[in-house]
Amino acid sequence: KPDHASYIGTAGNSSNCTFECDPGYGGEECTACPAGTYQDGTGSECMPCQNSIVANSEYAGSAGNSSDCPFECLPGYGGAACTACEVGEYKSEPGMHACSSCTNKPDHASYIGTAGNSSNCTFECDPGYGGEECTACPAGTYQDGTGSECMPCQNSIVANSEYAGSAGNSSDCPFECLPGYGGAACTACEVGEYKSEPGMHACSSCTNKPDHASY
C-alpha cells in the first residue's frame, strides 16, 4: 500500500493486499485530493466538494468529507465573510486574514479607492496641491480636490497686484500688491512714501530727506 492508505482485506495467496485511500486522499497512489474535492475514506476517487462557500472566495484545500472543504478569500477581499477591502486598503494574497492599510499616498493626499490586490491604492491630491507627489500648487493656480493638475486661477485681481499663492478653488486665489503699491486696492504710494516688498500692507513714510527739503 502507498502512504495515506489503509489495508481493508487480505490478499489470500497474493502479496497485493486490498487497501483503501485515507480520507482526503485518492487515486492509485493515494495522493492528496485537489483543492475543492473530497474523499471520505470509502473509495479512491476524489469528488467535488458539496459545502457552500461565501462570495469572493475559493476552495483552499481538500477534505475527508463532502461538507468540510476549507476555503479562503480571494485577493482584494478579507475577513470571515470575504468582504471587499475598504478605501485605502489592499490584500495581495488569498487567505482569511484582514486587508492591510496602503502606505503609498504622499502627504497632502487622500485615498479614494481600494487597491484590490496591490499595495498601490488610488489617491487624490488634497485641494491646493497637485502633481504626482501632491506638492503645493504654484502661485496663481488652484486644484479643487477632484484631480491632481494645478489649473490657472479664475478670480480677478486688482491692478498693480499679483497672485500670492494657490487655492483649493478657482475663485479664491490670494493676491498681493506689487512693490510701490499698498492697501486693499493696491493704490500707488503717495509722494513721500515707499513700499519695497510685495504685500497688502500700506506704504511707509520716507525718512531720508534732510531738513529744509520737501518730497
Side-chain angles (χ1 to χ4, degrees), residues 87-167:
V87 170
E89 294 182 336
Y90 76 100
K91 183 165 160 281
S92 57
E93 300 293 334
M96 302 304 292
H97 54 284
C99 299
S100 301
S101 297
C102 293
T103 58
N104 62 299
K105 80 172 181 66
D107 293 337
H108 308 297
S110 301
Y111 290 118
I112 59 172
T114 177
N117 60 356
S118 166
S119 61
N120 292 321
C121 289
T122 308
F123 63 85
E124 204 166 55
C125 297
D126 295 337
Y129 297 84
E132 291 185 1
E133 296 300 319
C134 294
T135 52
C137 289
T141 65
Y142 77 98
Q143 197 280 105
D144 61 7
T146 60
S148 60
E149 184 178 0
C150 299
M151 303 292 290
C153 294
Q154 303 298 312
N155 58 309
S156 298
I157 59 176
V158 300
N160 307 311
S161 69
E162 62 184 358
Y163 286 113
S166 57

